[in-house]
Amino acid sequence: MNALERKIMEQGVVVGKDILKVDMFLNHQIDVELIRQMGEDFYAYFRNKPINKVLTVEASGIAIACFTALKFGVPAVFAKKGYHKNVGSNVYSAEVFSFTKGISYRITVMKDYLTKDDHVLFVDDFLANGAAAEGIMQIISQAGATLEGIGIAIEKGFQPGGEKLRERGIDLYSLAIVDQMEEGKITLREHEQ
Ligand code: G4P
């Protein structure tokens, strides 16, 4: 069990049937040492790829992106949510529908910070249905950049996002995969040997 998996088992709280509350170390209060370790783990897995930019979506992805980018020695860029008057039309953008929250929102990245020469690692805190990843891939494609891989802290293995991305041949590495959350009990996927 890695540090994130231990933390999920010790402190994660199941809300309803399919929400894992991890506010106490990831989504509100941040366990900085744990996030630093995640950055190291993503670096260890993706280090042989020519990654020159780490991309995420605000807000909870930012800390993970920063520690990962620090290890690679590259910038972290976060997609902003919603329209921003001050950026004009100089942006790439995509519509994302959040099944968890039941709302649609737009994510944008300024053209200055993503170009066809970029080799991108996308990182995020959760992977559920994969809608945020789809939106980010649209933005990467608009920029003509290359997606080198996706690093996720917590994949919810009982939702379809992870499978859809792996079927498309995307190099997806999740630090913890939650396979089940029945009656408040969390079941993590065993690591492949
Ligand atoms: P998807 O991108 O994989 O399709 O996921 P979805 O739209 O369903 O998720 C929308 C938001 O809900 C995301 O945060 C995601 O991180 C979060 N989320 C999904 N499942 C869980 C869960 O089980 N527990 C928690 N704590 N969050 C979950 P967001 O809207 O981008 O918010 P934030 O980054 O500003 O925190």
Side-chain angles (χ1 to χ4, degrees), residues 18-133:
D18 56 8
I19 295 292
L20 178 64
K21 202 168 160 57
V22 287
D23 275 5
M24 57 304 281
F25 60 88
L26 193 59
N27 289 140
H28 197 3
Q29 172 169 262
I30 295 178
D31 181 332
V32 181
E33 173 55 28
L34 181 68
I35 309 269
R36 188 194 62 75
Q37 183 63 54
M38 287 184 204
E40 302 234 331
D41 291 348
F42 286 139
Y43 179 72
Y45 182 86
F46 290 110
R47 60 183 297 169
N48 294 322
K49 302 222 167 187
I51 289 158
N52 72 329
K53 207 155 272 184
V54 178
L55 189 58
T56 192
V57 182
E58 68 174 345
S60 302
I62 294 175
I64 301 169
C66 286
F67 280 100
T68 307
L70 189 65
K71 280 300 290 183
F72 279 95
V74 303
V77 175
F78 62 94
K80 296 195 178 193
K81 287 179 179 164
Y83 287 101
H84 294 266
K85 282 195 188 132
N86 56 341
V87 295
S89 61
N90 192 30
V91 294
Y92 302 113
S93 78
E95 193 79 20
V96 174
F97 178 74
S98 165
F99 292 91
T100 303
K101 297 188 173 169
I103 48 157
S104 265
Y105 58 93
R106 184 157 286 272
I107 55 173
T108 59
V109 173
M110 276 189 80
K111 290 182 178 172
D112 298 2
Y113 306 129
L114 194 63
T115 74
K116 63 176 176 35
D117 299 323
D118 285 328
H119 290 257
V120 176
L121 174 62
F122 169 58
V123 299
D124 212 352
D125 57 341
F126 272 95
L127 175 63
N129 292 289

Side-chain angles (χ1 to χ4, degrees), residues 174-193:
S174 299
L175 298 176
I177 303 181
V178 176
D179 265 337
Q180 230 182 7
M181 298 197 298
E182 299 267 300
E183 292 166 9
K185 186 175 173 294
I186 300 163
T187 308
L188 294 176
R189 189 171 302 177
E190 300 273 333
H191 292 269
E192 285 162 22
Q193 296 305 312

